[in-house]
Amino acid sequence: MSDPITGLDLTRRLVAFDTINPPGNEAECFRYLAGLLEHGGYQLTWHDWRPGRPNLIARLPATEPAKHAPLVYSGHLDTVPLGQATWSEDPFAGEVKDGRLYGRGTSDMKAGVAAFVVAALRLAVEPLRHAEIQLIITSGEETGCEGALALAQTDLLGDAAALIIAEPTDNRALCGHKGALWMNLVHEGVTAHGSMPDKGRNAIFAAIESIDRLRRHDFGVQAHQVMGGPTLNVGNMQAGLNVNSVPDLARVGVDIRSVVGQTNAGIREDLQRLLGEEVRLEPLTDMDNVYTDFDDPWMKSVFATTEEILGAAAEVATATYFTDASVLKPAMGHPPTLIMGPGVMAMAHQTDEYCEIDRLDPCIDVFTQLGRDHIS
């Protein structure tokens, strides 16, 4: 019998697959993981939401009557592009240097996927299992959780007892993340010659009025004790064709990060009232916030496990980025949700992305213990 694969070896193998999104092309990477999991005793369900763009559900059945719903680990295999800057390391070679593993996707989030896959293979050899273990591996996360959204439209998902999303957190156990609502504010005007602006209606002037209203906008919610307050950023603007014409179209890109007590649907309604019906809100990304109270019994057990294995007191905190949990949590019955992975938060999407090798094994140990507690 061959030796079990290590977290480092598996991360390096996953990094070797070019899964940059767009275009994605995650299928080969999925097939490699599927082979490992099937050999380890997992039952596989494929969901091809686009050609060459699969999602994978891997189930390890209970050996005894199930005490509760499955524990679910989840992560994505697509990565962002390399960017314009030149990398000092080959982004697909998995080079190890000074305790770091370099490559696109090392931290976001192939190290996290490797960690829960290794943990899942350990759990597969447990002789008695009183609950199911489930892995949900997605594609298309980096372009707005497209794979997870497509999966949620099927009947393949059931309820979960708890959900673990292995995004990069430096091995911190986070109890949620802010929501993300990205929109274009579309302003339509009437074009005219630049020497006769009174004959037209200037869309840029209308956009400036909207921006001024946004600068003064109060969301009307108190800052959350853990997540903090909501934020709003105007990130870009496209308007006008030439200097000597009145512009008849202006788009303003807005990035809002929502917190507990808000819904994105409610925010959209508030902004429509603020800006007026003449401004069209064009949605780009719509991911609600995710939060599990730190007094939740399962979250308390997570903190106890991480403190014991990692040797550091748990810090109650949330992430600023969004994850597939925005889709999977409501689709699976709103289970308590942990955001935790060995990747370096600050290295996500960076040139010369890397993960710290010494964080892999402790994260695997945490994931394994949480699984053992669930199936015991």
Side-chain angles (χ1 to χ4, degrees), residues 58-99:
R59 295 181 171 90
L60 181 68
T63 61
E64 311 297 318
K67 292 181 178 179
H68 27 239
L71 173 64
V72 177
Y73 303 82
S74 185
H76 64 87
L77 290 179
D78 60 314
T79 70
V80 295
L82 298 179
Q84 297 301 313
T86 301
W87 284 54
S88 60
E89 307 292 339
D90 184 331
F92 304 109
E95 295 290 341
V96 174
K97 184 182 295 184
D98 299 325

Side-chain angles (χ1 to χ4, degrees), residues 1-6 9 118 121-122:
M1 181 177 178
S2 60
D3 292 333
I5 193 166
T6 68
D9 285 344
V118 172
L121 294 174
R122 290 181 182 177

Side-chain angles (χ1 to χ4, degrees), residues 222-264:
Q222 289 186 336
H224 186 260
Q225 59 181 327
V226 178
M227 200 172 283
T231 60
L232 184 153
N233 180 59
V234 174
N236 58 28
M237 181 175 176
Q238 298 92 33
L241 296 176
N242 54 336
V243 70
N244 59 331
S245 293
V246 175
D248 62 354
L249 185 67
R251 281 188 171 87
V252 177
V254 176
D255 176 353
I256 297 170
R257 303 298 168 129
S258 61
V259 301
V260 175
Q262 296 179 294
T263 65
N264 288 356

Side-chain angles (χ1 to χ4, degrees), residues 136-258:
I136 298 176
I137 305 173
T138 63
S139 58
E141 190 271 353
E142 294 289 2
T143 48
C145 302
E146 292 178 287
L149 285 166
L151 185 59
Q153 298 302 311
T154 72
D155 59 0
L156 298 175
L157 298 177
D159 286 348
L163 175 62
I164 299 171
I165 305 289
E167 291 277 8
T169 69
D170 305 288
N171 275 354
R172 297 160 66 210
L174 305 184
C175 52
H177 60 72
K178 288 186 173 184
L181 178 60
W182 302 347
M183 296 179 294
N184 278 327
L185 312 183
V186 182
H187 305 76
E188 295 181 353
V190 176
T191 192
H193 196 281
S195 66
M196 297 176 285
D198 56 305
K199 302 298 183 182
R201 189 172 68 249
N202 194 307
I204 290 179
F205 287 167
I208 290 171
E209 290 182 12
S210 291
I211 292 170
D212 189 51
R213 291 178 184 178
L214 292 176
R215 290 182 65 180
R216 295 181 282 111
H217 180 58
D218 183 350
F219 284 100
V221 296
Q222 289 186 336
H224 186 260
Q225 59 181 327
V226 178
M227 200 172 283
T231 60
L232 184 153
N233 180 59
V234 174
N236 58 28
M237 181 175 176
Q238 298 92 33
L241 296 176
N242 54 336
V243 70
N244 59 331
S245 293
V246 175
D248 62 354
L249 185 67
R251 281 188 171 87
V252 177
V254 176
D255 176 353
I256 297 170
R257 303 298 168 129
S258 61

Side-chain angles (χ1 to χ4, degrees), residues 14-27 29-30 53 77-80 92 104 110:
L14 297 181
V15 168
F17 292 95
D18 179 354
T19 56
I20 286 174
N21 181 20
N25 293 332
E26 302 99 332
C29 192
F30 270 86
R53 310 296 303 279
L77 290 179
D78 60 314
T79 70
V80 295
F92 304 109
R104 177 52 88 217
K110 290 179 177 179

